[in-house]
Amino acid sequence: MASSNSTPVQAPSAPAAPGPAASSPAAAAGVRREPPALRHRLELAAVLAATAVLYLWNLGASGWANAFYSAAAQAGSQDWAAWFFGSSDAANSITVDKPPASLWIMGLSVRIFGLSSWSILVPEALMGVGTAWLLYLAVRRAAAPATGDPRLAHRAGLLAAVALALTPVATLMFRFNNPDALLVLLMTAAAYAVLRSVQEDRLRWLLLAGVFLGFGFLAKQLQVLLVVPGFALAYLVAAPARLGRRLLHLLAAGAAMLAAAGWWLAVVELIPAADRPFIGGSQDNSILELTLGYNGLGRLTGDETGSVGGANGWGVPGLLRMFNSEFGGQIAWLLPSALILAAGLLWVGRRAPRTDAVRASVLIWGSWVLVTGLVFSFMAGIIHPYYAVALAPGIAALAGLGPVLLWQHRRQAAAAVFLAAAVAAAALMAFTLLGTTSAYGPWLRWVVLAAGLAAAAGTGLNRFIRLRSVQRTTTALAIAASLAGPLAFSMSTAATAHSGAIVSAGPATSFGGPGGFGGNRTGGFGAGGTSRQFNGQAGQGMGAGQGGAAQGGQGATGGRAGGMGGLLGAPTPSAGLVAALKDGASNYTWAAAVVGSNNAAGYQLATELPVMAVGGFNGTDPSPTLEQFQALVSQGRIHYFIAGGTMMSSSGSDASTRIAQWVESTFPAQNIGGTTVYILAG
């Protein structure tokens, strides 16, 4: 395989080194062909525009999507302190259980365009388009010196961008408002910067990669570190500088990452607790505890204080988790093929110089897939199928780079075998995953299998076939067979409204729901227009306080035996309750208080008034304590307490239970619009 030399790549049209470019007639004739730049730009624009349509179409049907984050964006649009800290409400009672970077973008959008599902979700879709564009740039940059042909490098980039856009879990999460969209965008930007630093031997690009990773930490904390080992390895192996200088550069990039992430943590830690909101998800009001505990090592060990689930409540860890009934349809379509292609690229380019850009790319993207996939597979703590979106750029990059470069070497037996195996693996995965649903009928999986195996056979025998028509047919069949399944699942995803805390891509499958909870995987079968939410609870969560008491017999107590409650879905209050909450709201700091962040989010989004989330997301945070709540009530700062329980953990604080019991025993209950409320002031 041809490789880049140690000097910076000046242009995609730079003369190719001996190797795959020799198969190009222009190269063989010694003719320098200028890239058809306009055509390439138009093709890229078409791919990105199609991606935008897929991610934006019918976007408003999902409403508030994850109301937990939508409410925080609404709060941030009203109060700058809430925006900075990522508070759940504009009165700054408690933060969400993540750093606020993704909320900064949504909060600014809501502040500029007003509160709506579009102002919250459109930035997420645009992040998806931006991620596809960055992936195209990264793959094209790696392929250009190896192919010596700008057209082939362009095709590799386009194929990667398309593979990413059609990954079902990417279609899901770039149409949703969890922090994962920003995390994936920043990690992809960092990968591009690392590759450019390797090729150009410029420290500034490596420092920029560190900054991107640091802000990725402010999106979803320690998860961003899963890509760091591969990035460091790629630079250490392939950068042109001497070894000592490479090590110093990596230390500088690490410092940039720490600075980009640490400034916000330092500010939060230095501000007295009395002058800022409680850190949601922690037990001692510490961002460091949240980072290392609930959102850190606890995710690996399952020892997460205040979490629900546990005891394999999030599924049984194991090597094949990414292929099981929960994760397979989200991400596994091209996963085996990507690993096969990575191995093929490393083998074919085994004699390339140390600074080979292709090898560096395989180290970047391959380690991304391996490390992230293995950690997700074996972590014993909280994990949801949509986390798999973090694998999508690595898989897509290898799926774009590998076929184009191995095709250039198809006269070599090893390259042909690797390429044929990758095509066959994609067809077999599609056949298996399409068999989990009846949404498309049995014909699609058999057509995909037949086309894929035929393309695999044609690829394997292509070294003996020189007819261009056969080669083009083989290529078309391979691409169609590999992407037909993801395309179908992505179209179903875009046609479906998604709301709540746990969402899945694709149509209904024949498998059950998330381990330990017994719900349907999609929260309601059907591929079109149905709202998805965990355990089929849409809109009104169990234990929302309707009809005078929480479902499950909890009344206002929010006790530990309660149902799923507002843990995963926000309630939709009646018009009468909305009017009551708004009446005289300016006289109070919080229009109401209710156990659980999603319960609070439903009322807050309906009224655009601060609603206190007692106990944070799970109702297990010690915020506020009973004594603090009683003091706020005595000061007349909370108008109503709304009845409703939420599912509780066997660990964490019981302050929310004590508060709810105190309210129930101290204040008379009233029914407003079918909801039980307690008037605390006024």
Side-chain angles (χ1 to χ4, degrees):
M1 180 180 297
S3 65
S4 61
N5 51 38
S6 60
T7 58
V9 177
Q10 300 298 323
S13 57
S23 62
S24 168
V31 178
R32 182 186 178 95
R33 299 185 65 174
E34 293 298 326
L38 178 59
R39 178 179 176 181
H40 288 180
R41 292 193 186 101
L42 291 175
E43 290 174 345
L44 175 61
V47 167
L48 297 180
T51 302
V53 170
L54 178 64
Y55 292 170
L56 290 168
W57 179 76
N58 200 33
L59 193 60
S62 292
W64 301 122
N66 191 334
F68 176 57
Y69 294 116
S70 294
Q74 180 273 330
S77 73
Q78 291 190 337
D79 182 82
W80 284 113
W83 177 83
F84 177 80
F85 289 110
S87 298
S88 291
D89 64 86
N92 291 292
S93 170
I94 191 171
T95 70
V96 300
D97 57 5
K98 300 289 187 298
S102 65
L103 298 175
W104 290 342
I105 297 172
M106 288 187 287
L108 290 176
S109 178
V110 173
R111 186 178 283 268
I112 294 170
F113 300 107
L115 180 63
S116 71
S117 59
W118 287 92
S119 64
I120 289 172
L121 296 178
V122 167
E124 312 301 306
L126 296 180
M127 290 178 199
V129 177
T131 302
W133 175 63
L134 286 169
L135 193 68
Y136 164 84
L137 294 177
V139 171
R140 186 189 67 175
R141 170 169 285 274
T147 61
D149 188 339
R151 296 172 304 170
L152 293 176
H154 167 71
R155 291 169 189 169
L158 284 186
L159 186 56
V162 171
L164 173 69
L166 296 184
T167 301
V169 72
T171 301
L172 172 71
M173 296 314 293
F174 288 124
R175 294 172 56 89
F176 208 66
N177 60 325
N178 279 20
D180 302 74
L182 179 60
L183 174 69
V184 170
L185 172 64
L186 290 170
M187 290 193 301
T188 306
Y192 169 78
V194 170
L195 178 62
R196 189 155 183 176
S197 178
V198 168
Q199 288 186 291
E200 298 182 357
D201 193 22
R202 292 183 179 177
L203 176 60
R204 67 186 183 189
W205 283 105
L206 193 63
L207 296 177
L208 185 60
V211 172
F212 286 140
L213 292 171
F215 276 94
F217 177 92
L218 295 182
K220 212 174 178 189
Q221 293 196 301
L222 295 182
Q223 185 178 327
V224 75
L225 298 183
L226 297 180
V227 301
V228 172
F231 291 1
L233 177 63
Y235 188 84
L236 193 62
V237 168
R242 295 187 303 272
L243 178 60
R245 190 179 177 197
R246 278 176 270 156
L247 290 171
L248 290 175
H249 286 178
L250 287 174
L251 289 175
M257 181 177 68
L258 289 175
W263 70 271
W264 184 83
L265 272 70
V267 170
V268 173
E269 283 294 302
L270 291 173
I271 293 177
D275 298 327
R276 59 165 173 78
F278 187 93
I279 303 301
S282 73
Q283 294 296 307
D284 62 3
N285 199 10
S286 167
I287 188 63
L288 294 180
E289 188 228 334
L290 177 66
T291 301
L292 299 176
Y294 184 78
N295 284 338
L297 296 178
R299 299 281 169 138
L300 300 178
T301 65
D303 183 18
E304 297 157 302
T305 303
S307 168
V308 296
N312 291 332
W314 308 107
V316 179
L319 183 61
L320 299 180
R321 178 185 258 176
M322 293 300 104
F323 300 93
N324 71 15
S325 60
E326 296 303 314
F327 288 86
Q330 314 298 300
I331 195 64
W333 302 88
L334 299 177
L335 178 52
S337 300
L339 297 177
I340 293 170
L341 291 168
L345 289 173
L346 291 176
W347 175 258
V348 172
R350 64 193 182 279
R351 295 188 179 90
R354 177 182 64 79
T355 55
D356 180 40
V358 173
R359 183 188 293 116
S361 294
V362 173
L363 291 176
I364 288 172
W365 303 114
S367 64
W368 179 327
V369 174
L370 281 174
V371 174
T372 303
L374 289 173
V375 170
F376 283 177
S377 294
F378 288 99
M379 58 191 286
I382 296 174
I383 183 170
H384 303 304
Y386 65 78
Y387 286 13
V389 70
L391 291 164
I395 293 172
L398 294 171
L401 190 66
V404 171
L405 296 188
L406 290 179
W407 182 259
Q408 291 296 97
H409 289 272
R410 62 190 180 276
R411 303 304 177 196
Q412 298 181 24
V417 169
F418 277 115
L419 191 54
V423 174
L428 291 170
M429 282 303 307
F431 180 79
T432 301
L433 294 172
L434 288 171
T436 65
T437 178
S438 59
Y440 315 111
W443 64 271
L444 179 59
R445 63 193 299 246
W446 288 105
V447 170
V448 167
L449 180 64
L453 294 181
T459 301
L461 298 173
N462 206 271
R463 56 188 302 219
F464 306 110
I465 302 174
R466 301 191 179 272
L467 293 176
R468 287 199 173 188
S469 59
V470 176
Q471 294 176 353
R472 290 172 180 171
T473 301
T474 299
T475 301
L477 279 177
I479 294 174
S482 299
L483 296 180
L487 173 62
F489 265 55
S490 289
M491 294 295 291
S492 294
T493 302
T496 303
H498 294 84
S499 64
I502 302 177
V503 289
S504 296
T509 74
S510 59
F511 297 105
F517 288 102
N520 295 327
R521 184 185 70 83
T522 58
F525 288 173
T530 57
S531 178
R532 288 184 180 171
Q533 200 163 300
F534 190 82
N535 211 24
Q537 301 300 321
Q540 194 79 25
M542 289 178 65
Q546 299 302 301
Q551 298 180 39
Q554 290 302 312
T557 65
R560 295 179 184 273
M564 189 60 66
L567 174 65
L568 300 176
T572 302
S574 65
L577 181 55
V578 170
L581 293 175
K582 289 183 174 181
D583 185 26
S586 60
N587 298 322
Y588 309 97
T589 305
W590 290 276
V594 62
V595 174
S597 293
N598 268 311
N599 275 329
Y603 301 115
Q604 182 169 302
L605 290 167
T607 61
E608 298 190 47
L609 297 170
V611 176
M612 178 185 291
V614 177
F617 187 87
N618 295 329
T620 56
D621 298 343
S623 171
T625 64
L626 175 59
E627 293 74 18
Q628 290 170 334
F629 188 83
Q630 289 172 331
L632 293 172
V633 171
S634 67
Q635 296 165 13
R637 298 180 65 184
I638 307 173
H639 195 184
Y640 292 101
F641 185 90
I642 303 173
T646 186
M647 188 173 185
M648 304 282 285
S649 170
S650 60
S651 62
S653 172
D654 65 349
S656 64
T657 299
R658 297 172 61 203
I659 288 171
Q661 290 172 342
W662 175 75
V663 169
E664 190 176 51
S665 63
T666 306
F667 299 90
Q670 296 191 15
N671 187 295
I672 301 179
T675 300
T676 301
V677 301
Y678 300 83
I679 301 177
L680 306 183

